[in-house]
Amino acid sequence: MKKHNFYAGPSILSEFTIKNTAAAVENFADMGLSILEVSHRSKEFVAVMDEARALIKELLDLPAGYEVVFLGGGASMQFCMVPYNLLSKKAAYLDTGTWASKAIKEAKLFGEVDVVASSKDKNYTYIPKGYTVPEDVDYFHITTNNTIYGTEIREDLDVKARLVADMSSDIFSRPIDASKYDLIYAGAQKNLAPAGVTLVIVRTDALGHVDRPIPTMLNYKTHIEKDSMFNTPPVLPIYSALQTLKWYKAQGGIAAMEKKDKENAAILYDEIDRNKLFRGTVVPEDRSIMNVCFVMNDEYKELEGEFNTFAASKGIVGIKGHRSVGGFRASLYNAMPKSSVEVLIDAMKEFEKQH
Amino acid sequence: MKKHNFYAGPSILSEFTIKNTAAAVENFADMGLSILEVSHRSKEFVAVMDEARALIKELLDLPAGYEVVFLGGGASMQFCMVPYNLLSKKAAYLDTGTWASKAIKEAKLFGEVDVVASSKDKNYTYIPKGYTVPEDVDYFHITTNNTIYGTEIREDLDVKARLVADMSSDIFSRPIDASKYDLIYAGAQKNLAPAGVTLVIVRTDALGHVDRPIPTMLNYKTHIEKDSMFNTPPVLPIYSALQTLKWYKAQGGIAAMEKKDKENAAILYDEIDRNKLFRGTVVPEDRSIMNVCFVMNDEYKELEGEFNTFAASKGIVGIKGHRSVGGFRASLYNAMPKSSVEVLIDAMKEFEKQH
């Protein structure tokens, strides 16, 4: 049976990415060797790394002065690398959920942290607004998409401080004005590649302003100076990332992705709002187009397990909500075809008729 | 043409590992999804993680009190994680090459470092002996196999301090007495898996003795307490690692690997010693069975490029020596079949006849 992959991450990748990765595991770049067993210093892999970095610059329209590196360790490692490299005295953070909170916790090891606003009071069901970012902070950190709670900041904020963004779960889902950001990071396992690599985009003149010694591997400069090849990078995840980037370009770039993502999210949110069994958990204006969180209305609460089973019978995978929210979460990353969203919507309609 | 993969890393993996990984990229655990796009929290992947950790304990015969975790970031990240977690005041290091020197550099950020001995005086062509490890150090760090220079410590040292070993390029090439070590780490991309994951084996009572705050992701305890699933682990590399571990077990375990590795190394070193064109670069008693370094004798030096081309014409890949040594390096990791070593030896013999 055809599976419809709504996992929150690691998550659906394009068929193009999967097919080409499978082929490279058999025979990479016609070398007669698997991508699993080739040197990262081979000219064939160096070409992959170079093309992937260049395509990111192209697709996100990065201005001069920005560099792109692929690091290991996951976005969670960035929670400490960001303050290690950028926090001299004080940083501002916006608390919009679990991952933002974890980033705040790490920053506190390195200096003073001003949490300018938090939506914890309402279980992170909205994005705080109307806060002020102090001008004397080293940077302001935001999480643009909150995978667990299904909220999203879909605009490039204007702040006077350097802006740092964790875009793990919504990068490449809309064109951005990169010049507004000093550092962007993103675990690859949503809109880019399989787990095991983290994308970091950094304005190089934001670096070098802290006094503390930085361990070599935790210093962004190390990786920039060596063209993201200081040590052995995660070869296969980067190869897969390149396939996804090529697919984005062939599909019409990031603007085309945004159009499709918005349509997918709109039809699903419409059904949630229409269907008597379900309701969304997030205030409408802050709803994520990547992670759609919904629960059963109180009078139907006991049907939750049954709907999970029913959905599974239709080939729907990964819609169980995170324990912090409960209910359901349908993740609609860039590779999600509209046909799979329609299968989910049809299942919701059919289940509603049965009850 | 059949390729013979002598890369130093990322490097040859068993056909079993490659075949099963390719199959999982198409369809993992009969889920109807690629291993590239499944949640690390799916019961199918949790089973992979659990089995891989258990098999490492079994194959290396780890005593009680040791834990196994898979981390991102590469062995280079361990150069700072080890002192972050273990260095209170002073550590001892043995300087046996490029990677040992890099580990020493990082440790100096965290405390006093006593380099008890170095073979730098002779371009790291031997393993220092007869040194004394001070008893008051927090730990003694060694690099068991020096991938670049082709030297190896093939015994479990008796020292009074805690023993920390970088076994990136020779783990699983011999049975070890794990009780002699407090921490072992190894980048996976030689004897285990594709690049993107690092294996760490740690005696848990060695942890928790330093006063400094440790960032969450850099703290070994974080990963141990969450069964190596604190954050999204590198899913595919860990799946591949499991395949390699299963293959080791089916082949008769690590003792069987050692027997084969020793045989492969012996026939190649014999040819180097016999052939008038070549000579080994390492003193015989410290020669690595993983990385065989050799150069052309002075009177044939100008034939180096020609031999590289000649070897390539036989399907031999990756024998160009590291720039620190020059000449040639044939890496004979566990997955290397004797038939490939014989192809190299035959090429050396044939080339000798031509000159």
Side-chain angles (χ1 to χ4, degrees):
Chain A
M1 180 175 50
K2 158 80 181 161
K3 293 296 168 67
H4 307 282
N5 182 355
F6 290 92
Y7 276 133
S11 49
I12 190 168
L13 292 170
S14 76
E15 284 178 24
F16 181 87
T17 303
I18 293 172
K19 184 173 61 72
N20 288 3
T21 304
V25 172
E26 304 273 5
N27 183 7
F28 166 62
D30 230 3
M31 289 178 77
L33 294 172
S34 168
I35 183 92
L36 304 177
E37 55 170 2
V38 296
S39 174
H40 60 297
R41 305 280 180 202
S42 63
K43 70 177 189 309
E44 291 84 353
F45 182 72
V46 171
V48 167
M49 175 65 96
D50 291 347
E51 189 178 359
R53 296 171 76 211
L55 259 179
I56 287 170
K57 288 185 178 182
E58 180 184 332
L59 289 166
L60 293 180
D61 197 16
L62 300 187
Y66 284 76
E67 285 296 345
V68 174
V69 290
F70 291 104
L71 305 181
S76 295
M77 188 65 88
Q78 299 307 309
F79 298 162
C80 73
M81 278 183 75
V82 165
Y84 231 130
N85 284 268
L86 300 180
L87 205 171
S88 286
K89 286 191 180 149
K90 188 165 78 163
Y93 277 71
L94 187 65
D95 177 24
T96 53
T98 306
W99 302 106
S101 301
K102 288 188 182 207
I104 290 165
K105 181 185 167 207
E106 297 310 299
K108 286 179 176 170
L109 298 175
F110 298 87
E112 192 187 332
V113 175
D114 183 345
V115 179
V116 296
S118 170
S119 48
K120 194 176 182 182
D121 58 338
K122 293 187 177 168
N123 201 32
Y124 297 116
T125 50
Y126 69 101
I127 299 288
K129 282 131 204 139
Y131 53 82
T132 306
V133 178
E135 288 188 28
D136 67 338
V137 295
D138 296 314
Y139 61 88
F140 175 47
H141 179 283
I142 59 172
T143 312
T144 55
N145 186 69
N146 299 283
T147 326
I148 290 177
Y149 297 95
T151 62
E152 190 174 14
I153 302 171
R154 287 196 71 76
E155 59 178 329
D156 304 310
L157 301 181
D158 277 306
V159 288
K160 290 198 173 140
R162 294 189 188 282
L163 186 59
V164 175
D166 175 356
M167 292 194 184
S168 291
S169 52
D170 70 351
I171 194 162
F172 305 122
S173 74
R174 67 178 176 93
I176 56 168
D177 177 356
S179 71
K180 298 272 181 78
Y181 302 86
D182 282 83
L183 195 146
I184 294 168
Y185 61 91
Q189 64 270 19
K190 282 86 156 72
N191 271 339
L192 188 57
V197 67
T198 300
L199 169 64
V200 177
I201 297 165
V202 61
R203 184 180 194 131
T204 50
D205 69 12
L207 303 175
H209 306 298
V210 298
D211 288 333
R212 72 176 63 83
I214 306 173
T216 306
M217 280 291 288
L218 300 175
N219 192 331
Y220 293 120
K221 284 187 169 181
T222 301
H223 302 284
I224 292 167
E225 283 164 10
K226 295 292 185 182
D227 292 330
S228 201
M229 289 277 228
F230 171 74
N231 69 324
T232 312
V235 170
L236 180 135
I238 293 169
Y239 179 79
S240 296
L242 174 60
Q243 308 316 307
T244 302
L245 296 164
K246 284 181 171 179
W247 184 71
Y248 287 164
K249 187 169 174 176
Q251 298 289 305
I254 303 307
M257 287 298 120
E258 181 179 37
K259 184 166 176 288
K260 188 187 71 65
D261 292 343
K262 278 184 163 173
E263 285 169 8
N264 279 346
I267 59 173
L268 181 54
Y269 279 121
D270 282 351
E271 175 59 21
I272 291 166
D273 291 341
R274 188 208 59 74
N275 193 306
K276 70 174 181 194
L277 303 181
F278 303 99
R279 67 179 161 82
T281 55
V282 169
V283 300
E285 65 270 24
D286 295 328
R287 284 172 166 182
S288 167
I289 65 165
M290 295 279 101
N291 310 102
V292 176
C293 292
F294 55 109
V295 294
M296 286 206 139
N297 276 318
D298 292 344
E299 57 271 43
Y300 300 104
K301 263 284 184 269
E302 77 285 359
L303 294 176
E304 230 177 71
E306 201 182 317
F307 182 68
N308 262 318
T309 309
F310 180 75
S313 76
K314 307 284 185 185
I316 292 165
V317 177
I319 60 159
K320 194 172 188 305
H322 189 276
R323 64 184 179 283
S324 316
V325 178
F328 310 98
R329 173 175 52 178
S331 296
L332 311 179
Y333 297 117
N334 287 358
M336 176 64 64
K338 190 176 180 189
S339 56
S340 286
V341 186
E342 288 169 344
V343 168
L344 173 58
I345 291 171
D346 289 347
M348 293 165 74
K349 284 186 200 292
E350 194 180 333
F351 197 71
E352 181 189 32
K353 277 198 194 126
Q354 292 177 8
H355 298 91
Chain B
M1 180 173 51
K2 158 80 180 160
K3 292 297 168 65
H4 306 283
N5 182 354
F6 290 92
Y7 275 133
S11 48
I12 189 169
L13 292 168
S14 76
E15 284 177 23
F16 181 86
T17 303
I18 293 171
K19 184 172 61 71
N20 288 3
T21 303
V25 172
E26 305 274 5
N27 183 6
F28 166 61
D30 230 4
M31 288 177 77
L33 295 172
S34 168
I35 183 94
L36 304 177
E37 56 172 0
V38 297
S39 172
H40 60 297
R41 305 280 180 202
S42 63
K43 68 177 191 309
E44 291 84 353
F45 182 72
V46 171
V48 167
M49 176 65 97
D50 291 347
E51 189 178 359
R53 296 171 78 211
L55 259 180
I56 287 170
K57 288 186 178 181
E58 180 185 332
L59 288 166
L60 293 180
D61 196 16
L62 300 187
Y66 284 77
E67 284 297 345
V68 174
V69 290
F70 289 104
L71 305 181
S76 295
M77 188 65 88
Q78 299 307 309
F79 298 163
C80 74
M81 279 182 74
V82 164
Y84 231 130
N85 284 267
L86 300 180
L87 205 171
S88 286
K89 287 191 179 152
K90 188 165 78 164
Y93 277 71
L94 187 64
D95 176 24
T96 53
T98 306
W99 303 106
S101 300
K102 290 190 181 207
I104 289 165
K105 181 185 167 208
E106 297 310 298
K108 285 178 176 171
L109 297 175
F110 298 88
E112 191 186 335
V113 175
D114 183 345
V115 179
V116 297
S118 170
S119 47
K120 194 174 182 182
D121 58 338
K122 293 186 176 167
N123 201 34
Y124 297 117
T125 50
Y126 68 100
I127 299 289
K129 281 131 203 136
Y131 54 82
T132 305
V133 179
E135 287 187 30
D136 66 338
V137 295
D138 296 314
Y139 61 87
F140 175 48
H141 180 284
I142 59 172
T143 312
T144 55
N145 186 70
N146 299 283
T147 325
I148 291 177
Y149 297 96
T151 63
E152 190 174 15
I153 301 172
R154 288 196 69 76
E155 60 179 326
D156 304 309
L157 302 180
D158 276 306
V159 287
K160 289 199 175 142
R162 294 189 188 282
L163 185 60
V164 174
D166 175 357
M167 292 193 184
S168 290
S169 52
D170 69 349
I171 195 163
F172 303 124
S173 75
R174 67 179 176 91
I176 56 167
D177 178 355
S179 70
K180 299 273 182 75
Y181 301 87
D182 281 81
L183 195 147
I184 294 167
Y185 62 91
Q189 64 270 21
K190 281 86 153 77
N191 271 338
L192 188 57
V197 66
T198 300
L199 168 65
V200 177
I201 297 165
V202 60
R203 184 179 193 132
T204 50
D205 68 11
L207 302 175
H209 306 298
V210 297
D211 289 332
R212 72 176 62 83
I214 307 173
T216 306
M217 280 291 287
L218 301 175
N219 191 332
Y220 292 120
K221 282 186 171 181
T222 301
H223 303 284
I224 292 167
E225 281 164 11
K226 295 293 185 182
D227 293 330
S228 201
M229 288 276 228
F230 170 73
N231 70 325
T232 311
V235 170
L236 180 134
I238 293 169
Y239 179 80
S240 296
L242 174 59
Q243 307 315 307
T244 302
L245 296 164
K246 284 181 171 178
W247 184 71
Y248 287 164
K249 187 168 174 177
Q251 297 289 305
I254 303 308
M257 287 298 119
E258 181 178 36
K259 183 167 176 289
K260 187 185 72 63
D261 292 342
K262 279 184 162 175
E263 285 169 7
N264 280 346
I267 59 173
L268 182 54
Y269 281 120
D270 281 353
E271 176 59 20
I272 292 166
D273 291 340
R274 187 208 61 74
N275 194 308
K276 70 176 180 191
L277 304 180
F278 303 98
R279 67 179 161 81
T281 56
V282 169
V283 298
E285 64 270 24
D286 295 328
R287 286 172 163 180
S288 167
I289 65 167
M290 295 280 100
N291 310 101
V292 176
C293 292
F294 56 108
V295 293
M296 285 205 140
N297 276 316
D298 292 343
E299 59 269 42
Y300 300 104
K301 262 286 185 267
E302 79 281 359
L303 295 176
E304 231 178 69
E306 200 182 317
F307 182 67
N308 262 318
T309 309
F310 180 74
S313 76
K314 307 284 185 184
I316 292 165
V317 177
I319 59 159
K320 193 170 189 305
H322 189 277
R323 63 184 180 282
S324 317
V325 178
F328 310 98
R329 172 175 52 177
S331 295
L332 311 178
Y333 296 117
N334 287 356
M336 176 63 66
K338 190 178 179 186
S339 55
S340 286
V341 186
E342 287 168 343
V343 167
L344 174 58
I345 291 170
D346 288 347
M348 293 165 74
K349 285 185 201 291
E350 197 179 330
F351 198 72
E352 182 190 30
K353 277 197 195 126
Q354 294 177 6
H355 297 89

